[in-house]
Amino acid sequence: MITGAFGYASALLAIAGVLYYLEAFRKWRVFRYLPAIVLLYFVVMVCASAGLWEKTAAINDTYKMLRNNLLPAMIFLMLLEADLRQIKRLGWRMIFAFLLASFSIAAGFIVTFALFQHGLADNAWKTFAALCGSWMGGTGNLAAIQLALDVPDSAMGYTLLIDSIDYAIWVMALLALVPYAAHFNRWVKADSRALDDVSARLAESKADQTQVSGGNVLMLLALSCVVSSLSQWLAAMLPASAYFSTTAWTVALVTLAGIAGAVTPLRRLGGADVVATVLLNLIIALIASRASFSELLEAPVYILAGGCILLTHGVIMVIAAKLFRLDLFTCGLASLANIGGVASAPVLAASYSKALIPVGVLMAMLGYIVGTAGGLAVGKVLSVIAGA
């Protein structure tokens, strides 16, 4: 069993490296159906469940340190290849899909609570309202609703379990669907020409970049880490609240830095996507390392309720995709921008095209605007159902 920080990080990198080798050189058939990044999530989750590493203080600190520092660095590097002039061509459909995802999540909470309320704890409507705020926005929105409804920390345990387990399964499912985007788009008759055109234009712009070299990689890695550190330092000095947390400020600052860097000669420096891909794989492994199949047995009713919420949300999104001809990228990103926020939406966007990272970041930032109000509104409906 691994108990040290370096052994933990080494294990995650080793798993990612082996999967890359099997995909790139062995050409295993399974990779035709499941991307390596999905298998990485699953394999790391299996290892966590098997107890390959123990959640010691050192490992917990390492997880927080790597995730909190590498995620802003990855976003910055991926934004260096962003061209907002092209991305704005995606238009109103993204905002419409985001609001539709928020509505379907609210519907999922209301339907699920009505079905499961007798098997839940007293005043569960309050904790579900807080979770709804989190799944519409982020942890800051959850904290705001918890404060507004006066929910004690001791009452949040099972709700946070839903947030951990069901969220992890949902992320894995959305990543697994990426290879089938073309089939889905044909089925719903989605007009994905704007997305295809933007992706093609952004891909063509990579031709102007210099060749990848060790020096480029070193420079980009150093720059991304400095930007991440400075963004967090500045964010800590800005006014934060439960509504807009320090993490939200960090993401906002690093996003501005990446967009600014994209109009400088840094844009032509080859290797940003290489370093960002390494960081992306490590971040995915870090997230998966906190999940465990054994936790599914701790509170089956709550885990099932979380699955019901996501199922309702998914069904509504598929119906809407068919009615409004929304492509899978738009639907999936809108879903994860709500449920996963800034920590996950850029990861899903990168699995389609690394150049689309800004779309994921900007859409996830919308969640901070609607999360608190949406969660409180759903909480009001749940309180009526509970007769509170």
Side-chain angles (χ1 to χ4, degrees), residues 198-284:
V198 169
S199 297
R201 288 172 181 266
L202 292 171
E204 287 175 5
S205 68
K206 290 177 66 65
D208 297 331
Q209 293 181 345
T210 61
Q211 290 187 342
V212 179
S213 67
N216 286 6
V217 170
L218 179 60
M219 186 185 304
L220 288 165
L221 181 60
L223 181 60
S224 64
C225 289
V226 169
V227 169
S228 176
S229 297
L230 286 176
S231 297
Q232 293 178 74
W233 176 67
L234 288 172
M237 296 190 293
L238 293 172
S241 65
Y243 178 71
F244 202 83
S245 64
T246 301
T247 300
W249 277 119
T250 300
V251 172
L253 290 170
V254 80
T255 298
L256 290 174
I259 292 172
V263 298
T264 69
L266 285 173
R267 177 180 174 81
R268 296 192 296 273
L269 194 62
D273 58 335
V274 174
V275 181
T277 299
V278 174
L279 298 183
L280 173 64
N281 278 269
L282 182 54
I283 290 168
I284 286 291

Side-chain angles (χ1 to χ4, degrees), residues 82-90 198 202 262-263 267:
D83 187 343
L84 295 183
R85 294 169 299 179
Q86 299 297 334
I87 291 169
K88 71 179 182 180
R89 293 170 178 262
L90 295 175
V198 169
L202 292 171
V263 298
R267 177 180 174 81

Side-chain angles (χ1 to χ4, degrees), residues 38 55 77 130 173 188 224 336:
V38 176
K55 291 182 180 179
L77 288 172
V188 300
S224 64
L336 205 54

Side-chain angles (χ1 to χ4, degrees), residues 146-193:
Q146 183 181 357
L147 182 65
L149 297 179
D150 193 24
V151 184
D153 290 338
S154 59
M156 295 296 295
Y158 287 142
T159 307
L160 294 176
L161 188 63
I162 296 175
D163 195 19
S164 173
I165 297 299
D166 290 290
Y167 157 71
I169 294 172
W170 192 246
V171 172
M172 189 164 61
L174 290 178
L175 288 171
L177 288 173
V178 172
Y180 305 99
H183 301 288
F184 180 88
N185 294 344
R186 283 196 296 270
W187 177 65
V188 300
K189 298 179 181 179
D191 183 5
S192 59
R193 286 177 296 179

Side-chain angles (χ1 to χ4, degrees), residues 14-150:
I15 295 170
V18 168
L19 287 174
Y20 171 78
Y21 169 78
L22 294 175
E23 181 183 37
F25 299 105
R26 304 302 297 178
K27 309 291 185 183
W28 279 16
R29 205 169 190 180
V30 66
F31 293 108
R32 296 182 185 178
Y33 310 101
L34 290 175
I37 201 164
V38 176
L39 288 177
L40 173 62
Y41 201 110
F42 179 76
V43 171
V44 171
M45 194 172 175
V46 169
C47 291
S49 302
L52 182 59
W53 46 79
E54 185 180 343
K55 291 182 180 179
T56 61
I59 286 180
N60 290 337
D61 290 343
T62 300
Y63 164 78
K64 294 177 183 177
M65 183 272 292
L66 289 176
R67 186 174 180 273
N68 293 344
N69 290 286
L70 295 185
L71 182 62
M74 182 200 73
I75 291 174
F76 171 75
L77 288 172
M78 289 182 170
L79 284 172
L80 283 182
E81 299 183 356
D83 187 343
L84 295 183
R85 294 169 299 179
Q86 299 297 334
I87 291 169
K88 71 179 182 180
R89 293 170 178 262
L90 295 175
W92 63 269
R93 296 171 71 87
M94 285 293 176
I95 297 178
F96 172 73
F98 176 87
L99 295 176
L100 185 64
S102 299
F103 167 79
S104 61
I105 290 169
F109 271 91
I110 293 170
V111 170
T112 300
F113 186 78
L115 294 174
F116 287 83
Q117 62 171 316
H118 297 298
L120 305 175
D122 294 337
N123 288 330
W125 68 269
K126 292 185 178 181
T127 57
F128 268 55
L131 179 60
C132 183
S134 175
W135 278 9
M136 284 184 176
T139 305
N141 302 96
L142 180 146
I145 295 173
Q146 183 181 357
L147 182 65
L149 297 179
D150 193 24

